[in-house]
Amino acid sequence: MSNSYYFKPVDQLTFADNWMFQAVLRDKEICTEFVERLLHIKIKNVEYPELEKSIAPFYTSKGIRLDVYLKDEDKVIDVEIQTYPQEALGKRTRYYQSMIDMDSLMKGQDYTELKDSYILFICQFDPFKTSENSPELPRYTFRTRCDENPETSLNDNCLKVIYNANAYKQEKDPLVRSILHFINTNDPGQDTFANRLSSLVETLKERDIFRQEYSAVNLHDRDLIRMAKKEGKSEAKLEAAITAVKSFNVTPEIAAEKMDVPLEKLQEALKES
């Protein structure tokens, strides 16, 4: 098995890579502007971004790991980057929503104290494209409304926004379009903010601490992959294949082939992970 399938050199990282995405959004000012642009909201006083926050309220429940988790005075925001298609995206946002609500509402608090909730997914593909003829939109916004009377809202204060960066040309808002263009092409263009993102990406690549952290994580994951391959246990090999896809942007087809696991089994596991 060649390690080149699993390790993306730090110099080749882009903003769309999960590790870099999280590192850039550690900058509180940049994270705030990024979220404000894409969600069209104002953030008053955000707590420092919490990266890869884990939520598992009960030891028997399936936990979740969020890419970037923000808390404002009156809202909570989950930001996710997706570089490969995942099925059941709708159910994933539903489960994330339930875990976030459980995490944000302390025992003894009333339901009225629940903060407004935003789940933001930025994808490099259209998760809702079912055929070549289906319309490809740059943005999909979901709210809870009444079928019988669309003017009636449930007022649960939940908003889910899913962006398709691949359709950036169709986005009407120029501030959003510039971000989607950058994510899709890695070209910041003339937009000032996109150029700030691009500049920070390049700066981080030169920082020893960033390179060391990235290398340490990759070495750890590659060790697990090698061990799984050596042991030959189906469960370990499946976990290694999942790591290859989610951490190193390996296609499911290549990961399944290199780890010797059935592609269908890997795809099913990716849906549930």
Side-chain angles (χ1 to χ4, degrees):
M1 178 179 64
S2 171
N3 287 337
S4 63
Y5 283 113
Y6 299 103
F7 179 66
K8 187 172 187 179
V10 66
D11 293 325
Q12 295 180 16
L13 291 176
T14 69
F15 178 64
D17 287 302
N18 190 270
W19 184 264
M20 180 61 77
F21 179 77
Q22 293 179 33
V24 170
L25 294 189
R26 283 192 182 121
D27 185 301
K28 187 174 180 179
E29 182 180 339
I30 282 181
C31 188
T32 298
E33 183 168 350
F34 183 82
V35 172
E36 287 185 339
R37 275 201 187 195
L38 293 182
L39 289 179
H40 299 98
I41 60 174
K42 282 296 181 182
I43 299 177
K44 300 175 184 177
N45 182 31
V46 68
E47 295 181 14
Y48 194 81
E50 189 169 351
L51 307 177
E52 283 206 341
K53 176 181 175 64
S54 296
I55 301 177
F58 308 106
Y59 73 93
T60 56
S61 66
K62 175 181 173 64
I64 60 174
R65 184 174 294 275
L66 308 176
D67 286 350
V68 181
Y69 188 56
L70 313 177
K71 288 186 178 181
D72 194 1
E73 296 175 0
D74 57 356
K75 61 181 71 71
V76 290
I77 306 163
D78 167 37
V79 187
E80 305 286 329
I81 186 89
Q82 297 286 323
T83 58
Y84 65 94
Q86 296 186 45
E87 293 187 25
L89 182 61
K91 290 185 177 180
R92 180 182 295 268
T93 64
R94 170 182 163 185
Y95 192 69
Y96 281 18
Q97 179 68 64
S98 66
M99 291 294 101
I100 290 171
D101 285 345
M102 195 172 296
D103 181 65
S104 63
L105 191 63
M106 301 297 292
K107 184 177 181 180
Q109 288 183 301
D110 190 79
Y111 294 121
T112 58
E113 298 179 71
L114 272 174
K115 295 183 177 183
D116 294 354
S117 173
Y118 298 83
I119 295 181
L120 171 62
F121 271 75
I122 305 107
C123 304
Q124 288 189 301
F125 54 90
D126 190 338
F128 303 106
K129 189 174 180 63
T130 56
S131 69
E132 292 185 1
N133 296 324
S134 60
E136 186 173 11
L137 302 178
R139 172 173 40 184
Y140 297 88
T141 303
F142 300 92
R143 306 175 192 270
T144 310
R145 298 196 180 278
C146 176
D147 283 347
E148 290 74 16
N149 182 9
E151 297 298 320
T152 301
S153 170
L154 191 61
N155 292 323
D156 55 2
N157 293 356
C158 297
L159 181 70
K160 300 178 180 70
V161 179
I162 300 174
Y163 278 100
N164 166 25
N166 190 52
Y168 68 88
K169 293 181 180 179
Q170 299 179 45
E171 173 57 46
K172 296 180 180 179
D173 185 331
L175 298 181
V176 174
R177 184 169 61 247
S178 64
I179 292 180
L180 298 182
H181 172 265
F182 176 52
I183 290 174
N184 188 69
T185 66
N186 199 36
D187 175 12
Q190 302 300 314
D191 183 76
T192 301
F193 181 63
N195 274 276
R196 285 177 62 198
L197 293 175
S198 180
S199 178
L200 185 51
V201 167
E202 298 307 314
T203 298
L204 286 169
K205 290 179 183 179
E206 299 301 321
R207 290 181 182 172
D208 289 339
I209 185 67
F210 175 83
R211 299 178 75 91
Q212 291 168 8
E213 288 177 350
Y214 179 69
S215 296
V217 169
N218 281 310
L219 285 172
H220 172 71
D221 288 340
R222 283 191 293 168
D223 284 342
L224 293 178
I225 291 171
R226 281 196 294 268
M227 288 174 60
K229 185 75 171 180
K230 184 177 181 180
E231 291 176 4
K233 295 180 180 179
S234 59
E235 296 84 359
K237 287 163 48 173
L238 179 60
E239 288 298 322
I242 292 173
T243 297
V245 173
K246 299 186 73 172
S247 298
F248 302 105
N249 294 330
V250 177
T251 65
E253 290 76 13
I254 291 178
E257 176 187 351
K258 293 300 175 181
M259 294 310 303
D260 190 26
V261 298
L263 177 59
E264 296 78 10
K265 187 174 182 179
L266 173 57
Q267 291 173 330
E268 186 65 29
L270 287 169
K271 296 177 191 176
E272 300 174 355
S273 64

